[in-house]
Amino acid sequence: MKAVKLKPRAVAVVVVICIIVGAVVNEMWGGPPRWVGSASAHRGGRITHQVGLGRPELPPPTTPTVRWANSPHPIVVCNTTQGGFAIEVRPDWAPHGAERYLQLVESGFFTQNLFYRVPPRTHPIAQFGLSPNLQLRREFAKIIPDDPPVWERVPILRGMIAFAGSPGPPSRSCHMWFAIQGKSYMGHDSWEPPVGIILDDGAAVLDRIQPVEVNMGQIMADATFVPDFPGRYLKEKPVEWFEQCNIVWDPWKDRKSYVPQPVICPHRRDCEYSSAIPMRFLAGCVDGCVGYTTFAEAKAKCDVHEACGGIIQNGPDHFEIREGPDPLASDGETAFIKRGPLGAPST
C-alpha cells in the first residue's frame, strides 16, 4: 500500500482538529468541575442534585471557570431577567447564613424569585426572597440564628449578599439583598453579615435592575402571583426576578443540606389547625381578604386552597384565610395555623 504524503498545511489542519475534539471531549466527560446540564453540584468529591433546575445560559465569566474547582468556598451561579453572575459563598463570614443560603439554592427557592424592593440609588440595594413556591416559602419561614458581626473586617462592598431582618430577636429567614454599591452604614445590624459576593464583573447585572417597590399585600390580595406568574399587578411594574440558581462547586462537606418537608394537608380535606397568639405567623390574603362569619366556613375554604396556610380571627364574627406563615406580619387577635395531616414532600 502506497503511503500518503501530507503537505505541511494539511498536517497543521489535522493537528488543530484533534486539539478541538480533545477539548470538547474533556469538557463533556472529564476535566475540572463546571456547571452541568443536570443542575448537579460537585460537593466534596460527590454529586449532589438540586430540585427543578436546568442548565444556566450565562455569559462567560471574565476569568476561566476552571478556577472555581480550586476555590475553598462554594460557588453559586444565578440567572436573572437581566443576566447572570457567579457568587462565592463565604461560610467564614456568616456560617448560619451561608448554610441557609445554600439550602435555599438547593431547594429551587430562587426560581422565579422577585426583586421586590429596589429603592432609589440613594439606598443602593436589590432585595429579594418572595418565591412563587408556597411550599418552599412556608418551609423557609423558619428563623435561623444570627451570626457574629464582621463589619469591622468585612465591610459591605459592591456585589455582596446578606439577609434582611428586623431589630430584636433573630429574624433571618429567606429574604435577602445585594449591595448595588457598598455604603458605610451597611452590615452593622445583627442580621446583616454578608454571606457571599458576586465574582468578577457580574455585579454589573445589578445596575440594570430598575428601582421598584411593590405592594406585597396587593400581590397576595389579587391572587395573581400564583400560579399565573408574575400576575396582573406585577406585569404593570418594572420588576425583575431570578430565573434560577445552581450550586456549581461545593467543598463544604459538613454543612446541612436541604431536606424537603412534608406537604401540609395534601388531600385538602379534614385539615388540622392549631391556635397561636399573637397573629405574627400569617400574612397575605389568599382570596382578596374575604370575611367569613364562622370558623367552620373559613376552614372549609382553607382546606381546599393550596395557598392557604391558616386562618386569622379579627373580631367575633370575622375570619380570613391567609397565606402565611410570615414572622414579620402585622398583629391580629388570633391565628389558626394549618398543621396537618402531613403528606409526602412535594416534587
Side-chain angles (χ1 to χ4, degrees), residues 17-33:
I17 292 174
C18 291
I19 292 173
I20 293 174
V21 171
V24 171
V25 171
N26 183 68
E27 176 68 26
M28 295 178 65
W29 289 290

Side-chain angles (χ1 to χ4, degrees), residues 52-66:
L53 304 178
R55 175 186 292 273
E57 298 176 357
L58 302 178
T62 55
T63 54
T65 311
V66 67

Side-chain angles (χ1 to χ4, degrees), residues 211-280:
V212 63
E213 293 215 30
V214 301
N215 185 324
M216 296 176 69
Q218 178 66 41
I219 293 173
M220 304 308 170
D222 66 9
T224 61
F225 185 50
V226 178
D228 183 24
F229 184 86
R232 292 189 300 272
Y233 171 71
L234 292 177
K235 284 178 181 177
E236 300 175 357
K237 299 285 185 179
V239 67
E240 309 291 346
W241 57 81
F242 288 92
E243 294 174 346
Q244 61 187 16
C245 292
N246 291 341
I247 302 174
V248 297
W249 173 254
D250 188 358
W252 189 2
K253 298 180 181 180
D254 58 349
R255 71 173 177 86
K256 294 181 181 178
S257 298
Y258 167 69
V259 177
Q261 300 300 304
V263 178
I264 301 174
C265 198
H267 301 297
R268 301 187 183 183
R269 64 178 184 273
D270 300 324
C271 301
E272 300 169 4
Y273 296 80
S274 61
S275 61
I277 301 175
M279 195 287 293
R280 291 186 62 85

Side-chain angles (χ1 to χ4, degrees), residues 51 133 135-136 139 258-264 266 342-347:
V51 180
N133 188 314
Q135 174 70 13
L136 291 177
E139 289 184 31
Y258 167 69
V259 177
Q261 300 300 304
V263 178
I264 301 174
L342 302 179
S346 58
T347 57

Side-chain angles (χ1 to χ4, degrees), residues 13-266:
V13 170
V14 172
V15 170
V16 170
I17 292 174
C18 291
I19 292 173
I20 293 174
V21 171
V24 171
V25 171
N26 183 68
E27 176 68 26
M28 295 178 65
W29 289 290
R34 289 166 167 82
W35 68 62
V36 290
S38 63
S40 304
H42 292 259
R43 182 178 179 196
R46 66 185 188 277
I47 300 294
T48 60
H49 295 277
Q50 299 169 50
V51 180
L53 304 178
R55 175 186 292 273
E57 298 176 357
L58 302 178
T62 55
T63 54
T65 311
V66 67
R67 76 180 181 87
W68 293 348
N70 300 319
S71 172
H73 305 295
I75 303 294
V76 169
V77 171
C78 292
N79 268 356
T80 77
T81 48
Q82 285 295 337
F85 46 76
I87 299 170
E88 183 180 59
V89 183
R90 297 298 299 264
D92 55 326
W93 295 347
H96 294 299
E99 184 176 70
R100 168 57 64 89
Y101 174 65
L102 291 173
Q103 291 168 350
L104 289 165
V105 174
E106 284 179 317
S107 73
F109 183 84
F110 293 116
T111 300
Q112 294 185 321
N113 199 295
L114 295 171
F115 289 100
Y116 62 80
R117 179 173 176 247
V118 186
R121 291 301 190 251
T122 52
H123 183 46
I125 69 167
Q127 188 167 333
F128 55 96
L130 187 60
S131 170
N133 188 314
L134 296 172
Q135 174 70 13
L136 291 177
R137 203 186 305 175
R138 294 187 187 110
E139 289 184 31
F140 288 111
K142 183 179 180 181
I143 303 300
I144 62 172
D146 286 337
D147 286 301
V150 294
W151 61 271
E152 290 184 332
R153 63 182 178 88
V154 187
I156 296 292
L157 304 176
R158 171 175 166 84
M160 282 187 171
I161 178 175
F163 278 87
S166 60
S171 57
R172 296 186 300 174
S173 58
C174 57
H175 295 272
M176 307 184 73
W177 52 274
F178 285 112
I180 300 175
Q181 295 293 337
K183 294 288 185 179
S184 60
Y185 62 81
M186 295 178 175
H188 292 236
D189 291 311
S190 59
W191 60 88
E192 287 188 327
V195 302
I197 186 169
I198 296 177
L199 295 173
D200 307 320
D201 60 352
V205 171
L206 304 178
D207 296 328
R208 298 195 286 272
I209 300 176
Q210 297 300 310
V212 63
E213 293 215 30
V214 301
N215 185 324
M216 296 176 69
Q218 178 66 41
I219 293 173
M220 304 308 170
D222 66 9
T224 61
F225 185 50
V226 178
D228 183 24
F229 184 86
R232 292 189 300 272
Y233 171 71
L234 292 177
K235 284 178 181 177
E236 300 175 357
K237 299 285 185 179
V239 67
E240 309 291 346
W241 57 81
F242 288 92
E243 294 174 346
Q244 61 187 16
C245 292
N246 291 341
I247 302 174
V248 297
W249 173 254
D250 188 358
W252 189 2
K253 298 180 181 180
D254 58 349
R255 71 173 177 86
K256 294 181 181 178
S257 298
Y258 167 69
V259 177
Q261 300 300 304
V263 178
I264 301 174
C265 198

Side-chain angles (χ1 to χ4, degrees), residues 293-344:
T293 57
T294 66
F295 176 81
E297 186 181 7
K299 179 182 180 303
K301 294 290 185 179
C302 191
D303 278 4
V304 300
H305 208 305
E306 179 187 5
C308 183
I311 302 165
I312 66 164
Q313 180 180 4
N314 278 326
D317 300 314
H318 187 91
F319 298 84
E320 298 173 5
I321 64 173
R322 294 293 182 93
E323 179 208 33
D326 185 342
L328 304 183
S330 59
D331 289 332
E333 291 188 3
T334 307
F336 302 91
I337 312 299
K338 187 191 288 186
R339 297 292 191 189
L342 302 179

